[in-house]
Every structure is written in C-alpha cells, then in structure tokens.
Amino acid sequence: MINAAKADGKIDEGEAHRIVGKLQEAGADADGQRYVLEQMRRPMETEKLIAAAEGHPNLAAQLYAASLMAIEVDTPAEKAYLANLASGLGLAPAVTQRIEEMVGLQPR
C-alpha cells in the first residue's frame, strides 16, 4: 500500500488516511502505525515486493489489491506503477481486471 501511494512521487493526505485507516481496522497498535509512517518516508521498493511474491500467486494478487486500495488511480504515474507491478508480479490482464472490479475500481 505504501509503495503504491508513493507511485506519483508523493503520499497525499487522503492516501495517508486510507493507509492508517486500514491499519486501525486491522488492529495495528501505535508501534505498528509508527513503523508504517516511517516506511512512508523511505524510497519505493517495488522490486523487493515483486521478488517476495515470486512463486506465490495469491500473495501477488494480494499485493496488487493492496496497492489499489491505497490510492486513487488518477495520475499517469499511478497507472504506470500498477501496470509495472502487475507485469512484474506476473498477473494476467484478466486477473488484474478481476481484482480491480473486486476493490471497486472503475474500468479504465
């Protein structure tokens, strides 16, 4: 989620609130929330995410879904990030389309 929020070069207030809200929903304590806020200040780590999901198609789908939930896909940079992420994760277009539908993203 954090990586996706950084896709356009900045994490805006809405993205930060969505991420913190998801953490709170998941029951993250103050230390966990602080950790995530620190990670928001670090550089993107797309290649690490892709490498972590290699051979794990369910994890790949979850990473893509988490990215979609973190951002409003409204900039060319965010669209490019998602396309690169999907490609790197080995997700077929039909799979990404289904994930996008499941999280409520409007068709492109």
Side-chain angles (χ1 to χ4, degrees):
M1 294 177 86
I2 296 167
N3 212 50
K6 294 177 187 178
D8 63 358
K10 64 186 178 337
I11 297 178
D12 66 36
E13 189 174 326
E15 291 166 339
H17 284 333
R18 270 194 295 280
I19 291 169
V20 171
K22 294 290 181 188
L23 289 171
Q24 291 170 341
E25 286 174 23
D29 62 12
D31 287 337
Q33 291 178 36
R34 262 192 302 280
Y35 172 79
V36 170
L37 291 171
E38 288 172 17
Q39 293 302 307
M40 287 183 190
R41 293 184 206 102
R42 300 183 82 192
M44 289 179 63
E45 298 182 333
T46 307
E47 295 307 316
K48 280 187 177 179
L49 289 175
I50 290 169
E54 189 173 345
H56 304 281
N58 287 338
L59 178 58
Q62 291 170 0
L63 288 170
Y64 189 78
S67 291
L68 288 172
M69 290 187 288
I71 59 176
E72 243 180 84
V73 186
D74 59 356
T75 68
E78 290 167 337
K79 290 176 185 176
Y81 167 77
L82 289 171
N84 290 335
L85 181 65
S87 174
L89 292 170
L91 298 173
V95 172
T96 59
Q97 182 178 3
R98 180 68 182 127
I99 295 169
E100 291 166 4
E101 290 169 0
M102 290 173 67
V103 299
L105 187 66
Q106 298 298 318
R108 299 183 228 176

